[in-house]
Structures are given as C-alpha cells and as structure tokens.
Amino acid sequence: MHDLLIALQAFYEEYGVLLLEGIRDTLYMTLLSTFFGYIIGLPMGIVLTLTDKEGISPNRIIYTILDVIINITRSIPFLILLILLVPVTKALVGKSYGSTATIVPLTVAAAPLIARMVESSLKEVNKGVIEAATSMGASKFRIIINVLLGEAKTSLVVGTTIVLGTVLGYSAMAGVVGGGGLGDIAIRYGYYRFETGITLITVIFIVAIVQILQGLGMLVAKKSDHRRT
Amino acid sequence: MSYIEVKNLNKNFIAKNGSVEAIKDLNLSIEKRDIFGVIGLSGAGKSTFVRCLNLLEKPTSGEILIDGVDIQSLKGKDLRFKRQKIGMIFQNFNLLEQRSVLANVCFPMEIQHVPASERKEKALELLRRVGLEDKAKAYPSQLSGGQKQRVAIARVLASDPDIILCDEATSALDPQTTQTILALLKDIHDTSDITVVIITHEMKVISQICSKVAVLDKGVLKETGSVDEVFNNPTSAATKRLLLIKNTEEQSEEIEENAEKAGEEEEINA
C-alpha cells in the first residue's frame, strides 16, 4: 500500500503538472473553437433555414451556395483540413503549432457542423407556430429570435453537446502535429516514448471530460424543455 | 361598401401535375360585426380563402379590401400593422410550446412594443376573460385542447383586433368543448366591435353562432346569405349535401345517446 502511494506520488511529481495543463489546454481549445464555431455556424444555420424552399424567405441561390460550402468543408477529413489550413493559421496566430493555433482549424471544422446542427434544429419548429407569428404581424427578425430560436432551444442545446464532443475529439487528433492538450501528450509520451500508461490516462481524462460535458448539456436541455409535462 | 370586400378572387397552386385552382372567381362581402361562416367539405378552398384575407396566402388574382384598404397594396411594415389588427386562431392552436401561457398571451404585445408591465397586466386580464387565470404559469403541454384554444383566443385579443379569423378552430375539439369555445367567441363578439370569420366543415358550428354563411365547393362560391335562408332553402347541391351530412350526424348522435342511456339503465338494473 505504502509502495503504491509512493509510486503514485512519483508519477504525480513527474506528470501531474503536464496532465493538468493538458486538460486545461484541451478545454481551452474545445470551448473556444466551439464558441467561434457558433459565431460563424449559427448565422449560417439560420440563413439555411430561412432560405430553404419551405422557409420564410426562400432563396435558392443563397441556399445552394451555403449548402455547397458546408458540404465541401464537412467532407474534408479533419487532419487534412488542419494541414491545408497551416498558412491561414500562421497568418492569423503567427505559428502553426500549440493550442492557440489549433483553434483556427478547429473553428473551421466546427462551423459547418454547427450550421447543419442549427439548421436541423430550426427546421423542427412547427410551421404552424411560425405562421401564427406571421399572422400576428411579427417581423422576420422577431420570428427568428422568438419563434425559431426560442422554440428550438432544447434541440439547440443538445446539438451543442454533440458539437463539443466532436470538437474535443478533433482537438485530440491535432496532437499529431503538435496541437497541444491531452491528444498531444498521448502522442508525445504514449506513442513516441512508449509510455502506454500516459496514453491510457489521457484517454480516461478525455472520456471523463466528454461525459461531464454530455451530462451538463442534457441537464440544461431537460431544464429548458417545456414541450412535455 | 362592405367592411371586407372580396372581388374576383382566384388562387392557383402549382402542383406536380399542373396547376390546381383552389379558389375560382370568388366574390364575397362581409359586413362589420358579422359572424360570418364559410363552410365546405375538405378541399373546398375555405382555408385558402381565409388565409388570403391576411395574406398568409398570396392571391393569384383579384382584390381584397378591408375597411376600404386594398391589402395587397400593403408591404413590409404596413402589412405587419394591418395583420396585427386581424387576429387568427387555428385548428392546432399553434401556441409557443416553450413559453408559459402568460408569455404566449404577451407575445403579440411584444411584437407591438407594449411596455412589459402593461403586457403582463393585460395578459392576466385576458386570461381571466377566457377563464384561465389559474393557468398563467402553466405551459401549453399541460393544457387540454379546449384550454389551449382559450389561450389562443386570449392571445388574439391581446392585439385588440378588428377582425378574428378562425381556421377550423373547433375541429380538433370534442362536441362539448366546441360548444364552450363557440360560446366564448360569441360572447367576445357581442361585447366588442369585432368581425368574426369562421371557417368550418361542421354545420353545427355555423348554426350555433353565425349570422351569415357562404357555402364553398371545389373553390366556387355556391351560395351566401343569412344562415336561416341558406339552410332552410338550400339552392345548391353542395349545401344540400352538407345538410344531409349534418342530419346523419345528428341521427347517429341520437343513437349513441340512446345507447348510452340504455347502458346506464342496464347498469342500474344490474
């Protein structure tokens, strides 16, 4: 027992700070990229919903342009996107490695995913309610805010948890090219230095973070849902 | 000139196998404070007609004058202001599911930028009017169909409308609830200057509260006039058909009632 404690303490002294920093960097990348992703993806999702042929401002040209852009970005595997974006990342952040730099490709990968999530959430909103708001003389802006976003909020929150999980997974992949965070640690220690224990521990941490984010998301979603009694 | 004037209204829908004429050359006048019923079987174009009155549906051709204003000439803000004075209630209630009953009734007033404190006060007053003051904090999913329609009526009244359009407003409700909703609408009409247009496929709805009726069949206006006139001396085959359906329904209801009574007696005897 005593030996185990000593071993644990030795492990902590050697890797503790590293792992804590890894968790911090992973959260930093995931949350910030998702945030920036929503700044781009939320308006895209709204525009997709409005300009759809069943939407309140049908516009085939705008819809098709957005649709194609999203499909292209969504079909590029993340690792390749990351490499393709190196010049852009360098221009924006000044370097192409480390957690801050990874936010750039993560955001680019998250935005189209978010746009699709938002689109599918908003399209679930009952057409009759949109019509009722129109009949009350509501402006399109008000319909977007109060009816589309207001009625879809539960589904939007669920979408956010899915996005967070996906972005977290991507952030770990970025470890291959020195992206920072837990994925980076797993690659450097676990893969290059054959310290399988470290890889396992980073995996445990990643799973735990996903679980917590998922749990929190579902809790918020449930609390915000008034559609069922 | 009448309060609502519909002249040569046509509405075509483009379908896969060509164009469908939902409304054909419809002419109709509705006077202020009428409770005007429009009846027809499904597919008669009555819903399309009522949706043209607030431009939820754009007429293919023809004119719609409300209080002398050609509503198709209104754009953007002007159209929105006009719509605020034309309330509409729906078969499926169309309440905001994520908002409380009180917030639903407040919604039209938010659209009209009524100050928050005033909104709440007026909404509570309207909920009292429809008998749901104790449900202010509830959510639509916790209400029965009849209660939801009462909320929808309170919501319509929140804009102080000149006209209320009812698109099959009682079709999702059972007969008793239909009665109470119609009684509420009648009461609202009798204590205000509101013109009511009711779209329905049920004769009973027309005979219970309407003063005038128009019969639509396959997009064509078959006859119109006071309810007594039209129902007592039907001239069109469409009206006769509707009357026939009504009579059969009444008969089957009688049979059901008798059966229930018989059942009760049996229980007593047992």
Side-chain angles (χ1 to χ4, degrees):
Chain A
M1 186 69 192
H2 190 63
D3 290 346
L4 183 67
L5 277 178
I6 286 173
L8 270 177
Q9 191 173 4
F11 181 84
Y12 180 77
E13 270 166 16
E14 194 170 355
Y15 299 109
V17 177
L18 180 82
L19 285 169
L20 285 176
E21 279 177 359
I23 294 172
R24 183 200 64 197
D25 288 350
T26 293
L27 284 175
Y28 165 73
M29 286 187 290
T30 307
L31 296 177
L32 234 61
S33 309
T34 305
F35 175 74
F36 289 131
Y38 267 93
I39 289 180
I40 303 166
L42 182 66
M44 279 172 100
I46 292 171
V47 172
L48 279 172
T49 312
L50 300 181
T51 56
D52 183 79
K53 60 180 185 297
E54 307 263 295
I56 55 173
S57 306
N59 186 318
R60 207 178 166 153
I61 297 166
I62 295 176
Y63 185 88
T64 311
I65 292 172
L66 276 178
D67 193 50
V68 169
I69 292 174
I70 289 167
N71 285 345
I72 292 171
T73 30
R74 292 263 294 131
S75 48
I76 303 172
F78 178 67
L79 264 182
I80 295 170
L81 186 74
L82 188 102
I83 295 160
L84 280 176
L85 284 172
V86 164
V88 181
T89 309
K90 270 192 179 151
L92 282 172
V93 187
K95 54 179 186 177
S96 65
Y97 55 90
S99 41
T100 304
T102 309
I103 289 174
V104 176
L106 278 178
T107 303
V108 173
L113 171 67
I114 290 165
R116 283 282 182 243
M117 287 283 179
V118 170
E119 184 193 11
S120 85
S121 294
L122 299 188
K123 279 183 177 166
E124 278 169 29
V125 174
N126 180 356
K127 294 269 182 303
V129 182
I130 299 169
E131 199 158 70
T134 309
S135 81
M136 289 174 215
S139 63
K140 282 180 182 168
F141 181 72
R142 188 169 288 282
I143 291 177
I144 295 168
I145 302 294
N146 290 133
V147 183
L148 289 176
L149 296 177
E151 289 294 286
K153 65 182 176 187
T154 304
S155 172
L156 288 168
V157 172
V158 174
T160 307
T161 50
I162 296 172
V163 170
L164 281 170
T166 308
V167 173
L168 188 104
Y170 285 167
S171 83
M173 263 189 242
V176 174
V177 289
L182 291 170
D184 193 34
I185 294 168
I187 296 279
R188 278 191 287 139
Y189 289 78
Y191 187 68
Y192 292 126
R193 286 163 59 174
F194 306 107
E195 295 181 44
T196 315
I198 295 290
T199 311
L200 276 176
I201 286 168
T202 55
V203 169
I204 290 167
F205 280 144
I206 289 174
V207 170
I209 294 172
V210 171
Q211 283 294 334
I212 290 166
L213 290 176
Q214 185 77 20
L216 280 176
M218 287 306 154
L219 195 74
V220 175
K222 218 176 159 199
K223 279 251 183 270
S224 76
D225 195 2
H226 298 292
R227 289 171 301 179
R228 276 172 291 273
T229 47
Chain B
M1 190 158 112
S2 303
Y3 188 56
I4 302 176
E5 291 253 8
V6 178
K7 294 178 186 166
N8 308 105
L9 182 70
N10 280 286
K11 173 70 191 179
N12 302 339
F13 286 107
I14 295 158
K16 272 176 199 152
N17 43 1
S19 162
V20 177
E21 290 179 293
I23 295 175
K24 285 176 232 169
D25 203 30
L26 184 83
N27 288 284
L28 203 60
S29 305
I30 298 173
E31 304 299 329
K32 197 164 175 65
R33 296 204 77 244
D34 269 351
I35 302 187
F36 197 100
V38 179
I39 189 163
L41 298 172
S42 48
K46 51 196 193 302
S47 245
T48 309
F49 164 70
V50 79
R51 291 155 56 83
C52 283
L53 295 182
N54 60 359
L55 288 192
L56 281 182
E57 218 62 85
K58 245 181 128 85
T60 307
S61 67
E63 239 184 320
I64 295 168
L65 302 173
I66 293 178
D67 208 5
V69 181
D70 173 8
I71 55 159
Q72 290 180 84
S73 69
L74 302 174
K75 296 270 168 333
K77 242 191 194 135
D78 294 331
L79 176 60
R80 294 209 302 274
F81 282 139
K82 190 75 187 175
R83 277 176 173 158
Q84 288 170 7
K85 292 288 155 199
I86 309 175
M88 192 168 199
I89 56 177
F90 304 85
Q91 179 172 3
N92 300 318
F93 326 118
N94 292 343
L95 300 176
L96 293 153
E97 297 277 314
Q98 298 280 28
R99 279 184 173 226
S100 68
V101 164
L102 187 71
N104 262 289
V105 181
C106 286
F107 188 45
M109 295 187 271
E110 284 170 34
I111 294 170
Q112 293 171 30
H113 304 289
V114 175
S117 56
E118 247 175 78
R119 284 205 295 261
K120 199 180 161 195
E121 206 177 305
K122 187 168 173 184
L124 284 169
E125 188 190 307
L126 288 168
L127 284 173
R128 258 195 300 281
R129 179 87 163 81
V130 301
L132 284 177
E133 63 269 43
D134 55 328
K135 297 284 184 194
K137 289 195 178 112
Y139 284 86
S141 63
Q142 298 162 313
L143 304 180
S144 69
Q147 288 172 327
K148 283 183 194 171
Q149 202 58 294
R150 284 168 184 274
V151 176
I153 290 170
R155 181 172 74 171
V156 150
L157 293 175
S159 335
D160 296 317
D162 299 323
I163 302 171
I164 298 180
L165 309 174
C166 307
D167 189 2
E168 297 278 8
T170 57
S171 299
L173 305 174
D174 62 58
Q176 279 85 2
T177 315
T178 298
Q179 294 263 325
T180 58
I181 293 292
L182 292 177
L184 177 64
L185 281 171
K186 179 111 176 73
D187 183 53
I188 287 162
H189 170 265
D190 292 348
T191 52
S192 69
D193 273 334
I194 298 173
T195 308
V196 182
V197 180
I198 293 183
I199 301 302
T200 183
H201 64 276
E202 292 175 305
M203 286 297 233
K204 271 189 286 183
V205 171
I206 305 280
S207 44
Q208 190 179 338
I209 74 164
C210 293
S211 48
K212 286 180 197 150
V213 65
V215 180
L216 273 186
D217 187 45
K218 295 181 183 120
V220 179
L221 177 69
K222 290 295 180 184
E223 54 188 310
T224 178
S226 80
V227 173
D228 290 341
E229 246 169 58
V230 173
F231 283 8
N232 291 333
N233 301 302
T235 53
S236 73
T239 316
K240 285 174 188 158
R241 206 158 54 230
L242 284 163
L243 283 167
L244 195 69
I245 294 170
K246 185 191 172 218
N247 291 336
T248 2
E249 265 174 15
E250 272 171 7
Q251 274 166 8
S252 65
E253 257 170 43
E254 255 171 50
I255 293 165
E256 267 173 41
E257 269 171 35
N258 288 340
E260 266 173 39
K261 269 183 206 157
E264 277 163 23
E265 274 166 23
E266 262 172 40
E267 271 169 37
I268 292 164
N269 293 340

